[in-house]
């Protein structure tokens, strides 16, 4: 529920969090509401194990919505090539690499 995620993120910030790690709400428009309602920088949580395509689309959507970064665990450390996965994810956050280009980079290696 977007409203629940939005409220929880704001409460975290109001309690003094330097940043808030929260679930992605499924699309950039709804996640933008979470980001806009939170005075602290918002990071997306990785969630359950997903395919590269699902993960990169989530990262792309969150970045478009204004997220400042990500905190992904199992999708990175359980990946068959974790260092490449992390490198590509960082390019998405810092260089605005698209999900499509991220998937292509993963296929090349």
């Amino acid at each position: 529920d977007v409203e629940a995620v939005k409220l929880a993120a704001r409460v975290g910030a109001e309690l003094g969090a330097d940043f808030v790690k929260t679930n992605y709400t499924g699309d950039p428009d709804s996640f933008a509401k979470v980001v806009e309602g939170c005075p602290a920088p918002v990071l997306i949580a990785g969630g359950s194990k997903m395919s590269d395509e699902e993960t990169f689309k989530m990262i792309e959507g969150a970045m478009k919505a204004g997220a400042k970064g990500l905190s992904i665990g199992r999708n990175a450390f359980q990946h068959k090539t974790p260092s490449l996965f992390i490198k590509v994810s960082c390019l998405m956050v810092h260089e605005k690499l698209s999900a499509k280009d991220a998937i292509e980079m993963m296929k090349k290696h």
Side-chain angles (χ1 to χ4, degrees):
D1 178 42
V2 175
E3 289 304 314
V5 174
K6 182 178 168 183
L7 179 61
R10 181 163 187 104
V11 168
E14 289 180 359
L15 288 173
D18 293 325
F19 60 87
V20 174
K21 173 185 170 182
T22 191
N23 296 328
Y24 183 60
T25 54
D27 63 85
D29 292 335
S30 66
F31 200 67
K33 293 175 185 175
V34 174
V35 173
E36 290 166 9
C38 184
V42 176
L43 311 178
I44 56 165
S48 59
K49 188 79 171 112
M50 297 182 282
S51 69
D52 288 352
E53 184 174 352
E54 291 169 315
T55 304
F56 294 145
K57 285 182 179 180
M58 178 181 70
I59 294 170
E60 181 178 59
M63 294 299 105
K64 284 182 180 179
K68 298 299 182 195
L70 47 96
S71 179
I72 292 179
R74 86 189 83 225
N75 285 295
F77 63 74
Q78 291 179 356
H79 198 276
K80 63 183 177 190
T81 55
S83 60
L84 178 60
F85 178 86
I86 292 167
K87 177 182 177 181
V88 171
S89 297
C90 287
L91 288 171
M92 293 186 75
V93 171
H94 298 290
E95 304 294 332
K96 309 281 190 241
L97 184 72
S98 70
K100 180 181 176 186
D101 290 341
I103 293 163
E104 288 302 314
M105 284 185 75
M106 294 300 292
K107 288 180 181 176
K108 288 180 182 178
H109 290 88

